[in-house]
Amino acid sequence: MSELEDLSSLEFISFLFSVNLFRYFLVAGLFFLFYYVIFRQRWVLKKIQPKFPKRKDYLREIMYSLISMGIFALIAWIVIRTPFSQFTLRYESIELYGWTYWGFSIILMILLHDTYFYWTHRAIHHPKIFRKIHAIHHKSQNPSPWAAFAFHPIEGIITAAVIVPISLFIPFHTSSLIIFLFFMIVYNAYGHLGYELYPKNFPETIIGKWINTSISHNQHHEKFNGNYGLYFLFWDRWMGTLRTDYNSAFKLKK
């Protein structure tokens, strides 16, 4: 950690950008390798939308995601290395709160992020904002895992800014934040995978009723409305924005 503290601001931002790139290419790349390359023919009938995106779609998704990774690095630098850091609740020693809280803090981050994402996501679906900002992400009507962070730069700022309320309201250790960010990319890439990994009757189970799925988010990309959640379906169900054809779409899963 002391070595990182010795880095200049530019070096530190570059380091964070490199970490984000590694995380993105590792997770999205593995999903893409298995589902779009190695087992493409074997699993083709399981694809949510039968067609595959074109090469230009993959390149667009990667290009915008790279921009988003830079934005994530910049906002992380602001939270960690600028005077703003004195207002955050980051703590140095896990023993200060204990391992139980350490694990609980990750759950709190996920819950806060899900709420933040739902409401900001609905907001950028306002017609005027959608056309100028969110339409970039929805160019992936048939998304691939590369689309996980394919955002217009302004949407990238909105997305990455979740780190601000997390750092201000949740006491966190750096390691718990890293785990949360890794979970974020895994579930985001899964949401854009184009394949469903949960079993066929999952939405009808007690737990599955509240968990967001790849089919749910794929419907959002294809139909452009409804299913605004990220990790959970709490807000979609409470606010009446879960698509009425969601369960029936899941039953068609091969």
Side-chain angles (χ1 to χ4, degrees):
M1 191 68 182
S2 59
E3 294 180 356
L4 293 180
E5 293 175 353
D6 293 335
L7 297 178
S8 68
S9 292
L10 183 59
E11 290 172 331
F12 190 67
I13 292 171
S14 298
F15 168 76
L16 293 174
F17 179 61
S18 299
V19 171
N20 287 337
L21 283 186
F22 175 77
R23 195 165 49 97
Y24 170 70
F25 280 107
L26 174 66
V27 176
L30 284 176
F31 271 132
F32 185 83
L33 180 64
F34 280 100
Y35 284 88
Y36 288 73
V37 180
I38 297 177
F39 298 110
R40 175 175 174 139
Q41 296 303 320
R42 182 182 300 182
W43 294 339
V44 66
L45 295 179
K46 295 181 179 295
K47 196 167 185 307
I48 299 172
Q49 296 185 47
K51 293 183 178 180
F52 283 83
K54 297 180 179 179
R55 184 170 180 270
K56 66 178 183 179
D57 296 313
Y58 301 140
L59 293 176
R60 183 192 66 255
E61 291 170 349
I62 292 172
M63 180 190 73
Y64 278 105
S65 290
L66 294 182
I67 295 172
S68 295
M69 293 300 97
I71 292 170
F72 265 83
L74 185 60
I75 291 183
W77 167 75
I78 292 172
V79 169
I80 297 172
R81 292 287 293 268
T82 70
F84 178 84
S85 64
Q86 65 183 306
F87 301 107
T88 71
L89 298 181
R90 185 169 72 95
Y91 59 92
E92 297 291 340
S93 174
I94 292 178
E95 284 69 29
L96 182 64
Y97 287 93
W99 283 102
T100 300
Y101 174 77
W102 178 89
F104 183 61
S105 69
I106 298 173
I107 296 174
L108 289 177
M109 292 178 200
I110 292 171
L111 290 171
L112 188 154
H113 186 206
D114 188 70
T115 299
Y116 177 92
F117 182 88
Y118 176 85
W119 288 105
T120 56
H121 191 190
R122 279 196 69 178
I124 60 178
H125 266 267
H126 184 282
K128 292 184 179 179
I129 301 176
F130 182 92
R131 287 193 298 270
K132 295 180 179 180
I133 299 175
H134 196 44
I136 291 294
H137 188 63
H138 271 275
K139 283 187 176 182
S140 301
Q141 285 185 258
N142 183 14
S144 82
W146 297 121
F149 291 102
F151 305 133
H152 182 285
I154 294 178
E155 184 176 355
I157 293 172
I158 294 171
T159 301
V162 69
I163 301 300
V164 174
I166 284 177
S167 65
L168 291 176
F169 300 118
I170 301 175
F172 70 96
H173 188 268
T174 302
S175 61
S176 62
L177 183 62
I178 291 172
I179 297 296
F180 160 71
L181 291 173
F182 189 77
F183 177 79
M184 178 201 295
I185 179 60
V186 170
Y187 215 85
N188 214 338
Y190 153 70
H192 295 87
L193 180 59
Y195 291 83
E196 185 52 69
L197 305 184
Y198 288 116
K200 196 169 186 176
N201 65 338
F202 186 67
E204 299 173 5
T205 64
I206 296 176
I207 296 177
K209 180 180 180 181
W210 303 104
I211 303 296
N212 201 15
T213 65
S214 190
I215 284 179
S216 170
H217 199 65
N218 197 279
Q219 280 189 312
H220 176 79
H221 271 262
E222 184 180 14
K223 310 294 185 181
F224 281 58
N225 55 52
N227 302 4
Y228 297 105
L230 178 58
Y231 307 119
F232 307 106
L233 297 177
F234 297 131
W235 288 107
D236 274 310
R237 290 194 182 278
W238 292 338
M239 303 308 297
T241 54
L242 184 66
R243 291 187 59 86
T244 57
D245 56 350
Y246 169 58
N247 278 19
S248 59
F250 219 99
K251 290 179 179 178
L252 295 175
K253 176 180 180 290
K254 296 181 176 62

